[in-house]
Amino acid sequence: MTSTAIQIPSLDEIQQECARRSLYDFCDYMMWDEVQERSTFVHGEHVRKMCDALQAVERGDINRLMIFAPPRHMKSLANSQLGPAYFLGKDPRRRIVQTGYGDAISVEHSRRCRDFFVSPRFRALFPNARYQATKETQSWLPPPRQSAHEWGTTAGGGFRAVGIGGALTG
């Protein structure tokens, strides 16, 4: 009689695999609070639908998407911060432009996205997606101290934040 060992994945491994496959699960995974020992992500059917639509954009099934929801309904987190990080994790060659009603809000979204992108939780999910400063003069600074208007990946992708009326070419 032969015996076969079955490796059962840990809960964290299962959560990581789900986070790689689903933007909704990615948001939940990335919003883990070590102190509270729980995710601070706000769950809801509206958020799931928003994340599903964004994933359709990521796959190329949708090329124009408008999302309307009241304030405090996770739009900025899913669309402008975690969504772009997820897209760059899936394909670090992507080039993403984030616009907002003003330069300050666009840069704030870029900064939060970059902070998620360089976090240990993100690197555990997408080890091949690596951060790279877009200006050589910034490369010696840690990412949180660098400009957040524009940042890139080692694969040639990147993120650019522009307010309405700001310069955007190409």
Side-chain angles (χ1 to χ4, degrees), residues 112-131:
R112 296 268 329 263
C113 180
R114 183 197 58 205
D115 291 348
F116 286 124
F117 190 84
V118 300
S119 73
R121 288 184 76 77
F122 183 89
R123 283 195 312 269
L125 295 177
F126 301 110
N128 294 329
R130 292 290 190 190
Y131 172 82

Side-chain angles (χ1 to χ4, degrees), residues 141-157:
L141 291 169
R145 304 280 304 181
Q146 295 177 14
S147 169
H149 273 92
E150 187 172 6
W151 52 273
T153 70
T154 56

Side-chain angles (χ1 to χ4, degrees), residues 19-54:
R20 284 184 198 97
R21 295 178 185 209
S22 159
L23 176 57
Y24 186 81
D25 291 329
F26 174 79
C27 292
D28 186 48
Y29 182 82
M30 292 301 294
M31 294 302 295
W32 183 259
D33 186 317
E34 299 291 335
V35 175
Q36 296 181 29
E37 295 184 352
R38 67 176 183 87
S39 176
T40 58
F41 182 63
V42 176
H43 296 267
E45 191 59 30
H46 70 288
V47 181
R48 184 174 296 280
K49 287 181 180 184
M50 187 169 33
C51 288
D52 289 347
L54 289 167

